[in-house]
Amino acid sequence: MPEAVDAVEMQAALLRLRRTSGLPVVFGGLLSDARHARIAELNGAQTSALRGLVISAGSGLGGKAIALSRPCAVTDYAISRHISHEYDAAVAAEGLRSVVAVPVVVRRAVRGVLYGALRTPVTLGDRTFDAVVAAARDVEQSLAVRDSARQLLAAGRERVSDPDAVPGAWEDVREAHRDLRALVPKVVDPALRDELLEVCGRLASASGAKASPAREVRLAPREVDVVACVAAGATNAAAAERLGLRPETVKGYLRSAMRKLGAHTRLEAVVAARRAGLLP
């Protein structure tokens, strides 16, 4: 599962990079251990010379970027005196000359490397350089979200097992539910998103509250997200910041949820949502 998610994230970032930068060749890969990255994703390549290439920290341009944890570039790869040349054959087979390599860094740890390249020996401009850096940041954000999702999933499963066994555990259950729901829209991988929603459902039903068929309430996912934030005491502005929405949008979702729940106040909405089994 993690490998498939990584591939989706890297592919999406490379596709956006090629479209926005105009670079003819972009490629990259994540680290398999602390010192080695495997080039697994390519866009615009004319040969398979780079695919599967294992980059060691300190070796070549990408290895230098990994070792230094900062972007590195060369105007003409084959003759550059600022890098080692273990990968010259593969680079030459693809016809690459001007290359930039940017490390993917999550929580101060290098997790991968992303490249952009031209087949002519020219100095890359700031706009192109910034586009490659931005693409690497996209991958970093996706990996950070995935890491958080995995941590929250583990915590959510642990908390849902027996909330009544530990004093104060219900607050932990509600916090886990709120955090997971806020994370769902940011997750790229559908399978992981479904897994998050499944645990959210288990957390919401942990109290055993079930609505009668005659009074079953159906809220849209974002309406549940907003009510979950309100349950934690968040203002509309705070909920908007947490969910990545505009305050006016949050207000609209809350009005809609209150109408469906038959509530006249924020507190009534929270109580009704819990009775309906929508919140823990």
Side-chain angles (χ1 to χ4, degrees):
M1 167 79 76
E3 292 77 8
V5 176
D6 295 344
V8 170
E9 292 160 349
M10 185 65 77
Q11 288 167 4
L14 292 176
L15 181 60
R16 287 193 299 271
L17 172 58
R18 195 169 177 213
R19 286 175 176 171
T20 58
S21 68
L23 287 165
V25 188
V26 293
F27 52 101
L30 299 183
L31 269 66
S32 55
D33 56 45
R35 294 187 57 80
H36 300 90
R38 179 178 175 273
I39 305 302
E41 304 301 328
L42 300 95
N43 194 302
Q46 296 177 347
T47 73
S48 60
L50 297 170
R51 187 175 297 279
L53 198 64
V54 176
I55 309 299
S56 299
S59 300
L61 183 67
K64 182 177 180 180
I66 292 170
L68 298 179
S69 191
R70 63 174 175 80
C72 299
V74 294
T75 300
D76 196 339
Y77 193 101
I79 63 173
S80 175
R81 297 180 180 179
H82 302 293
I83 60 172
S84 60
H85 290 273
E86 292 87 346
Y87 312 111
D88 282 8
V91 173
E94 188 57 45
L96 305 183
R97 304 291 291 278
S98 181
V99 187
V100 58
V102 180
V104 173
V105 183
V106 181
R107 296 184 181 91
R108 299 186 180 182
V110 178
R111 297 277 292 274
V113 61
L114 193 150
Y115 301 81
L118 296 169
R119 293 189 171 90
T120 52
V122 297
T123 301
L124 292 170
D126 289 343
R127 184 176 177 180
T128 300
F129 189 86
D130 290 346
V132 182
V133 170
R137 299 297 170 263
D138 286 345
V139 178
E140 291 169 0
Q141 185 175 15
S142 295
L143 291 177
V145 166
R146 192 201 71 190
D147 290 350
S148 296
R150 288 298 178 196
Q151 292 168 3
L152 285 170
L153 276 173
R157 290 195 177 98
E158 180 179 350
R159 289 167 180 169
V160 79
S161 58
D162 189 4
D164 292 317
V166 181
W170 273 112
E171 289 308 314
D172 290 340
V173 169
R174 288 164 180 160
E175 180 181 355
H177 178 266
R178 184 177 69 251
D179 290 346
L180 283 167
R181 288 212 61 98
L183 197 60
V184 168
K186 303 175 184 177
V187 173
V188 175
D189 179 60
L192 180 55
R193 195 161 54 239
D194 289 345
E195 196 174 353
L196 288 168
L197 288 171
E198 185 270 333
V199 174
C200 283
R202 290 176 61 196
L203 288 167
S205 61
S207 66
K210 292 184 179 179
S212 64
R215 300 190 62 186
E216 185 177 359
V217 179
R218 293 186 181 277
L219 297 187
R222 274 311 204 186
E223 291 170 349
V224 177
D225 296 342
V226 169
V227 176
C229 287
V230 169
T235 63
N236 288 349
E241 183 176 358
R242 183 176 191 84
L243 299 173
L245 301 172
R246 294 171 59 86
E248 294 80 4
T249 305
V250 167
K251 191 180 298 184
Y253 281 131
L254 182 56
R255 278 198 301 264
S256 177
M258 290 172 66
R259 183 174 63 254
K260 294 176 182 178
L261 292 164
H264 301 287
T265 67
R266 297 161 72 91
L267 178 58
E268 286 180 4
V270 171
V271 172
R274 285 179 176 154
R275 287 175 176 168
L278 298 170
L279 297 180

